[in-house]
């Protein structure tokens, strides 16, 4: 039995979660840009400042985890934000090889000015959904973000498990060859027949 309604008609891009999420992201960024204004913080700058405001002294690796921004983009972003005076960089007290960042006074002021604008953007985005679905929408987004956060750890564990499985298979193959050799009957000695003269 074919169901009536939107589900039966959906196909192609309309049924593609990745495409629909991309479109939703475009809409969200447009709304964010509209609320932030031409001189406001970008969404990524806001994310970095917000993360640093919650825990000063984060390394760039910590910021990658906290914001989800890829490592190379984040390194460039932090460099530009430091040049603009939004962040201060210093040697990490935990890892001498790493640089830690903290909010500058200018960065704190920019963050304080941006928070109401970001809140307004978030309200506009949620207002596009029926009130009854907003909480479940946020929960689903949080679940997807959690999966994104867990992906690198899972990928590392999967790689480790695959390497172990390959080593175990190689050991089993060697053992099988040894066992096969041990089970072969010894070769019969060739007897030379000597004919009487």
């Amino acid at each position: 039995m074919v169901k009536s309604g939107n589900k039966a008609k959906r196909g192609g891009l309309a049924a593609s979660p990745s495409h629909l999420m991309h479109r939703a992201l475009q809409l969200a960024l447009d709304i964010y840009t509209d609320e932030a204004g031409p001189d406001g913080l970008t969404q990524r700058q806001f994310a970095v400042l917000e993360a640093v405001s919650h825990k000063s002294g984060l390394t760039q690796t910590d910021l990658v985890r906290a914001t989800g921004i890829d490592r190379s983009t984040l390194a460039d972003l932090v460099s530009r934000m430091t040049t603009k005076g939004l962040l201060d960089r210093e040697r990490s007290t935990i890892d001498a090889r790493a640089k830690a960042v903290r909010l500058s006074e200018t960065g704190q002021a920019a963050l304080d000015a941006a928070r109401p604008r970001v809140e307004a953007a978030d309200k506009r985005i949620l207002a596009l959904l029926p009130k009854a679905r907003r909480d479940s929408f946020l929960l689903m987004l949080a679940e997807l973000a959690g999966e994104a956060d867990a992906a690198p750890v899972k990928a590392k564990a999967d790689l480790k498990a695959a390497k172990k499985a390959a080593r175990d298979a190689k050991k089993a193959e060697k053992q099988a060859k040894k066992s096969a050799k041990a089970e072969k009957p010894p070769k019969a000695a060739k007897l030379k027949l000597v004919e009487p003269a």
Side-chain angles (χ1 to χ4, degrees):
M1 181 173 146
V2 176
K3 293 183 180 181
S4 62
N6 290 340
K7 287 185 181 180
K9 295 176 187 174
R10 284 193 180 163
L13 293 177
S16 169
S18 59
H19 174 73
L20 294 172
M21 288 173 64
H22 178 72
R23 293 293 306 275
L25 175 62
Q26 287 175 319
L27 174 64
L29 290 176
D30 287 347
I31 291 171
Y32 177 92
T33 301
D34 185 45
E35 289 295 335
D39 298 329
L41 296 173
T42 67
Q43 198 280 327
R44 287 179 172 175
Q45 289 172 331
F46 175 78
V48 169
L49 293 179
E50 189 67 34
V52 173
S53 77
H54 288 282
K55 187 174 181 186
S56 189
L58 293 176
T59 64
Q60 289 187 10
T61 301
D62 297 329
L63 283 171
V64 166
R65 283 190 213 110
T67 63
I69 300 169
D70 69 86
R71 186 175 298 280
S72 60
T73 302
L74 186 85
D76 183 51
L77 184 61
V78 167
S79 178
R80 285 185 280 124
M81 291 174 75
T82 302
T83 302
K84 286 183 176 182
L86 298 170
L87 294 171
D88 291 326
R89 262 198 281 208
E90 54 198 24
R91 285 254 176 246
S92 171
T93 55
I94 298 168
D95 182 355
R97 298 168 296 165
K99 295 263 185 162
V101 294
R102 63 180 176 80
L103 278 178
S104 65
E105 286 183 28
T106 305
Q108 185 64 58
L111 181 60
D112 291 343
R115 281 180 174 147
R117 294 174 178 184
V118 172
E119 189 176 315
D122 289 343
K123 283 181 181 177
R124 276 181 61 188
I125 292 165
L126 287 176
L128 298 171
L129 299 172
K131 283 184 182 181
R133 292 187 176 177
R134 292 175 189 171
D135 287 341
S136 60
F137 174 72
L138 288 173
L139 283 172
M140 284 186 273
L141 288 177
E143 283 180 34
L144 288 172
E147 288 296 321
D149 292 344
V153 174
K154 185 179 181 310
K156 205 174 195 178
D158 289 348
L159 181 61
K160 189 177 178 180
K163 284 181 179 179
K164 184 182 181 320
R167 281 192 310 268
D168 290 348
K170 201 169 189 177
K171 281 182 185 177
E173 187 180 327
K174 279 184 179 179
Q175 188 61 39
K177 283 181 181 179
K178 271 186 178 179
S179 296
K181 266 187 177 179
E183 291 177 8
K184 281 186 181 177
K187 288 184 179 178
K190 289 185 179 178
L191 298 174
K192 276 190 178 182
L193 291 176
V194 180
E195 291 189 27

